[in-house]
Amino acid sequence: MGNVVLNLSMSEINKMKSYYDGKLLDKAPPGSVFAAKTSGSTITAYKSGKVLFQGGGCEAEASRWGVAAVNSTAPTKISAPKGNVPSGISQMSVIGSDEVGTGDFFGPITVVAAYVRKEDIPLLKELGVRDSKDLNDDKIIAIAKVIKDVVPFSLMTLKNEKYNQLQQTGMSQGKMKAILHNQAILNVLEKISPVKPEAILIDQFVQGSTYFQHVKNQKGVAKENVYFSTKAEGIHLAVAAASILARYAFVQYIDKLSDAAGFKIPKGAGAQVDEAAAKLILKKGREVLPQFVKLHFANTDKAMNLVNKKRR
């Protein structure tokens, strides 16, 4: 089945809606303005301005509007399922869950669970949805701004101060992540109820048995049709969409930290963050660190060593 995506203004989309008045569908996807069906194409217009044409006659139908198609993005690679993941999962309606920020010294952990219906997979492919690690920040922001209106999702943000408090009580990062993933998934299940996903796929960071041990004392636990896989963003676009939305939220939070610090905060855990942390300490004092960083990282001691050298 062919796909064409156009980028139109809202006034043009409203004209389209009037044009297809007699062919409008009763049910339109989340985040859409309308959906219509002609003899050779299905047309879905989204609030973002993207209009998706699907079907054998999609190119001819799209050409009616005299607008060049959105540039094609790199093809989305779908990997073969691993372990006990169902063989046909890539074409199922799935809740995917992923996290960002666990290896970054500055900034929070952001976890997103996102529900992708099988009907929306072509649009997400056309938009270039894939693992956020393969995309630069500008591309992540552009894609996230579109898909946040297309897919139901839940964002959980574990800010640095709370992270440091939990870590100092002895809670492992793995347990923190498991609790965040579980809550995000429960939130999405509530949003889409009474609809149920065909599967729930979590980008694996611990064994399934350990994950469920971590969340056993939570008020609610999502257990039905839950699967785990490494590199899950390559198995279903729901995980890739979650990855992009989580990265988008992380990037936005880093921008807020940069504003609070008065200079650009770097990502990662390399030498550049040691320098940034030292600069922050010299500027605002060590007592502000818990609001900005994950204190138990080795970067904290490295930053303090830099501070001591600069003060001599």
Side-chain angles (χ1 to χ4, degrees), residues 56-74:
C58 64
E59 291 184 8
E61 194 65 38
S63 69
R64 290 177 183 273
W65 302 96
V67 181
V70 172
N71 291 334
S72 297
T73 52

Side-chain angles (χ1 to χ4, degrees), residues 84-231:
N84 67 338
V85 177
S87 60
I89 194 171
S90 67
Q91 295 304 312
M92 293 180 182
S93 295
V94 169
I95 291 177
S97 191
D98 202 359
E99 83 281 334
V100 170
T102 57
D104 290 86
F105 182 48
F106 282 96
I109 293 176
T110 55
V111 173
V112 168
Y115 176 56
V116 171
R117 306 180 313 152
K118 61 183 76 173
E119 296 91 339
D120 290 326
I121 289 173
L123 174 62
L124 297 190
K125 284 183 178 179
E126 191 69 34
L127 292 171
V129 171
R130 56 193 186 276
D131 183 17
S132 69
K133 291 187 286 294
D134 296 334
L135 301 166
N136 62 35
D137 286 351
D138 288 342
K139 192 65 178 174
I140 284 167
I141 291 167
I143 296 175
K145 284 181 177 179
V146 176
I147 63 175
K148 68 184 179 64
D149 294 324
V150 176
V151 300
F153 73 96
S154 173
L155 164 67
M156 305 296 296
T157 302
L158 181 58
K159 297 178 182 179
N160 294 98
E161 283 183 303
K162 184 65 175 178
Y163 175 95
N164 290 318
Q165 290 170 11
L166 293 173
Q167 195 277 329
Q168 286 163 13
T169 67
M171 184 181 290
S172 69
Q173 192 184 85
K175 184 169 183 176
M176 295 180 211
K177 290 194 288 185
I179 291 170
L180 293 168
H181 276 271
N182 179 65
Q183 189 57 56
I185 290 165
L186 289 175
N187 291 346
V188 175
L189 285 169
E190 185 177 352
K191 281 186 179 184
I192 66 174
S193 180
V195 173
K196 286 189 175 183
E198 295 174 85
I200 296 170
L201 181 60
I202 300 172
D203 193 47
Q204 187 169 359
F205 52 92
V206 290
Q207 290 297 316
S209 57
T210 304
Y211 172 90
F212 286 115
Q213 183 68 21
H214 284 329
V215 299
K216 67 178 182 179
N217 293 326
Q218 299 302 299
K219 288 183 180 179
V221 177
K223 292 181 179 178
E224 187 176 354
N225 295 326
V226 174
Y227 302 94
F228 302 85
S229 177
T230 56
K231 299 183 179 179

Side-chain angles (χ1 to χ4, degrees), residues 38 77 158 257 263:
T38 66
K77 296 177 182 178
L158 181 58
L257 288 183
F263 59 89

Side-chain angles (χ1 to χ4, degrees), residues 4-10 12-13 16 44 46-53 62 65-71 127 142 146:
V4 175
V5 176
L6 303 183
N7 201 359
L8 304 177
S9 67
M10 195 51 62
E12 289 171 315
I13 286 174
M16 289 181 74
T44 309
Y46 291 89
K47 294 173 183 175
S48 63
K50 296 288 190 295
V51 183
L52 173 66
F53 296 79
W65 302 96
V67 181
V70 172
N71 291 334
L127 292 171
V146 176

